[in-house]
Amino acid sequence: MPRPIQATVHTEALRLNLARIRRAAPDARAWAVVKADAYGHGIERAYEGLRGADGFALLDLQEAERVRALGWRGPILLLEGVFEPRDLELCSRLGLWHVVHCTEQIDWLAAHKTQVPHRVFLKMNSGMNRLGFAPAAFRAAWTRLNALPQVDEISLMTHFSDADGERGIAHQVRDFAEATRDLPGERSLANSAATLRHAQDAGVRGDWVRAGIAVYGSAPDFPEHDIGHWDLQPTMTLASRLIGVQQLQPGHTVGYGSTFVADAPLRIGVVACGYADGYPRHCTSGTPVLVDGVRTRMVGRVSMDMLTVDLTSLPQARIGSAVTLWGRAENGAVLPIDEVARAGGTLGYELMCAVAPRVQKAVD
């Protein structure tokens, strides 16, 4: 039989989380963001749960081709735009919308020969300082795009740096509003955090919200709020089984480096999961794990193929018992991916994207 570790994508949870985003912004359309292979879920596995979105937003042309191959005929947006002039040919063929964030992309459009004008999203750098035109240069970029026969409709967008934090978004919303005043076109400002935390403001909500991490069952502002607070459901479960059991006496150690030392008699379970499967090596003793749906803790250091858990309070656990590394256990108990990520000093985003190819994938 195959090694007993599997990542399962929960289609219904994807639907419910998308519906939650819609409730937060009821009069806006929603992009389902499927970059990074749908945040590690797999575009083909996630598609059925996300096809109720108004469009799909992603980064590269191959992912766009995969979405079209699934039968999607609606909008697809390239969030970083095109990377070289010939990419515009595929945009024309597949009917892709694309972000314009620099003068070079405008130059490429001006030289592009197409029968069908392109729908573009002109991006403003309102403070994130990654991609986009500075507010002072934004209107000139819009004017130039608007004069091109290669361009049809121009939408306006920006991206928030602190929608999930204390600094907030007011300064960026102000700069965006001032620079785009009187310009026509639909607006897209809000990512997951801004949608859940600030979308009651129509100026933030705009015409399109970009539903990313929240759709995949991670709280965008964790640990201030968890998925229970936002009424989100886990969309990925990483599960394995116990493949060994050990009895420890006081003074015995566990794993490489002997980082965990038993201070009392302990019963330890060995789980078929390690950092080569995508489980974060930096998780330390105390990281939560579910065994047979009951919360316990990891102990010792994560190794390439195994990790160890405390079974002292789980006398029924034995070889073959189910282990939930994150997600939903068979008894319905939930271990949010955000809790595991925090123990590993990272974010739920990274854990989703880092599940290794050797892990079996399934859809429930």
Side-chain angles (χ1 to χ4, degrees):
M1 64 174 290
R3 187 162 167 267
I5 182 170
Q6 179 172 282
T8 303
V9 174
H10 305 299
T11 301
E12 184 61 20
L14 289 164
R15 290 195 190 101
L16 291 172
N17 293 344
L18 181 60
R20 175 66 182 91
I21 289 291
R22 288 197 180 282
R23 291 199 302 275
D27 56 350
R29 282 170 285 176
W31 294 109
V33 182
V34 293
K35 63 180 181 176
D37 200 18
Y39 287 55
H41 290 62
I43 287 173
E44 289 76 12
R45 288 183 288 273
Y47 178 73
E48 191 61 35
L50 297 177
R51 64 187 303 176
D54 299 291
F56 286 88
L58 39 75
L59 295 188
D60 66 67
L61 292 167
Q62 286 187 335
E63 289 185 335
E65 288 179 308
R66 288 163 61 189
V67 174
R68 285 284 186 242
L70 289 166
W72 180 254
R73 295 294 174 259
I76 296 176
L77 176 65
L78 297 176
L79 287 167
E80 293 178 355
V82 297
F83 301 106
E84 59 181 3
R86 65 178 179 177
D87 292 346
L88 291 168
E89 298 172 10
L90 195 58
C91 289
S92 294
R93 182 160 63 83
L94 295 179
L96 306 181
W97 301 0
H98 50 98
V99 167
V100 172
H101 60 76
C102 62
T103 56
E104 288 81 359
Q105 290 175 328
I106 300 179
D107 293 340
W108 299 341
L109 267 168
H112 178 54
K113 293 180 174 57
T114 180
Q115 299 296 319
V116 181
H118 288 214
R119 172 78 176 268
V120 300
F121 278 63
L122 183 62
K123 186 166 189 175
M124 178 185 296
N125 172 16
S126 60
M128 186 74 160
N129 288 315
R130 295 192 311 190
L131 301 178
F133 291 90
F138 190 79
R139 191 171 292 266
W142 183 92
T143 300
R144 188 177 173 211
L145 274 176
N146 191 52
L148 294 180
Q150 294 89 342
V151 174
D152 182 13
E153 187 174 345
I154 304 172
S155 299
L156 314 175
M157 72 182 297
T158 193
H159 190 62
F160 297 127
S161 58
D162 294 276
D164 58 345
E166 187 174 330
R167 188 183 185 198
I169 63 175
H171 61 295
Q172 290 185 260
V173 173
R174 181 191 64 243
D175 290 347
F176 182 82
E178 289 178 358
T180 62
R181 184 174 290 113
D182 300 327
L183 287 181
E186 294 180 339
R187 268 72 168 160
S188 178
L189 294 83
N191 57 3
S192 286
T195 301
L196 292 174
R197 291 168 65 99
H198 305 289
Q200 67 275 9
D201 181 344
V204 175
R205 189 165 60 249
D207 301 287
W208 289 87
V209 295
R210 303 188 296 275
I213 193 63
V215 164
Y216 299 100
S218 176
D221 56 355
F222 185 84
E224 180 181 351
H225 297 115
D226 61 14
I227 60 173
H229 174 87
W230 292 122
D231 191 24
L232 300 171
Q233 303 294 321
T235 61
M236 177 192 287
T237 294
L238 182 65
S240 187
R241 296 192 177 276
L242 295 181
I243 59 171
V245 176
Q246 298 290 337
Q247 299 288 338
L248 271 61
Q249 297 303 316
H252 286 182
T253 64
V254 178
Y256 288 119
S258 299
T259 59
F260 178 83
V261 182
D263 59 3
L266 292 179
R267 187 165 172 259
I268 297 297
V270 182
V271 183
C273 177
Y275 60 77
D277 299 299
Y279 194 89
R281 184 179 181 275
H282 296 295
C283 283
T284 57
S285 294
T287 299
V289 180
L290 304 181
V291 177
D292 289 333
V294 178
R295 185 175 286 237
T296 183
R297 58 174 180 156
M298 192 191 77
V299 294
R301 183 177 290 172
V302 178
S303 58
M304 180 180 287
D305 310 303
M306 290 174 277
L307 55 82
T308 46
V309 296
D310 184 357
L311 301 179
T312 305
S313 62
L314 296 162
Q316 83 286 355
R318 56 183 52 84
I319 291 177
S321 286
V323 178
T324 304
L325 288 314
W326 62 70
R328 189 178 298 277
E330 293 175 3
N331 68 352
V334 171
L335 176 56
I337 194 171
D338 299 317
E339 291 190 41
V340 181
R342 178 170 57 171
T346 186
L347 301 171
Y349 299 70
E350 184 176 2
L351 299 196
M352 294 175 189
C353 295
V355 174
R358 76 176 187 173
V359 175
Q360 299 178 81
K361 310 297 194 306
V363 178
D364 70 3

